[in-house]
Amino acid sequence: MTPSPPPDDPLSPGLGAALSRLGKALEALELAVAKRLEDEMTLADLEEELAVMQDDRSRLALDLDAALARAITVEKNRDEVVRRIDRASASVAAVLGVEPPRGDRE
C-alpha cells in the first residue's frame, strides 16, 4: 500500500479530486453495466415471446389451410348432393309423367 501524501503536499488536493472523479466514474460504470444486463434480459424475453408468436402463427396457418381444404370438400359434396337430388327429382317427375321442377339451387 502506498502511503498517502502529507496534508501539506501541493499534490494532495489534485489527488483527492482525481480519486473523487474515479469513484464517480466507477459508479457510472456500475450503473451502465446494470442497465446493460437489464436490457439484455428484456431483449431475451422479447426474443422468446417472438419465437412463441412465430410458432403460433405457423400453427394457425396450418389450421387455416386445413379448414380451407375442408370447406372446399364440403362445397364439392354439397354440389354433388344437389346434382343427385335434381336427378332423383327428374326421375320421379318422369315416372309420374309431369314436368320436372326447375331447381333454383346454388
Side-chain angles (χ1 to χ4, degrees):
M1 222 166 135
T2 312
S4 47
D8 59 348
D9 186 355
L11 296 176
S12 184
L15 181 61
L19 288 174
S20 175
R21 287 193 311 272
L22 178 61
K24 289 178 184 176
L26 287 174
E27 286 178 25
L29 178 61
E30 287 174 354
L31 288 174
V33 167
K35 175 81 169 107
R36 176 67 184 257
L37 289 174
E38 183 180 320
D39 289 347
E40 285 180 6
M41 290 178 63
T42 301
L43 180 61
D45 292 341
L46 290 174
E47 287 173 344
E48 182 180 341
E49 188 174 336
L50 177 62
V52 168
M53 288 173 38
Q54 287 173 331
D55 289 345
D56 286 348
R57 183 195 173 281
S58 296
R59 182 185 49 79
L60 290 171
L62 291 173
D63 290 348
L64 178 60
D65 289 343
L68 289 172
R70 283 191 306 270
I72 289 170
T73 300
V74 166
E75 187 174 333
K76 286 179 182 179
N77 290 339
R78 180 195 63 88
D79 292 344
E80 179 62 24
V81 167
V82 167
R83 279 192 293 278
R84 288 181 183 188
I85 289 172
D86 287 344
R87 278 197 309 258
S89 179
S91 296
V92 169
V95 167
L96 295 175
V98 294
E99 178 104 12
R102 295 282 177 209
D104 285 333
R105 298 170 208 201
E106 294 190 41

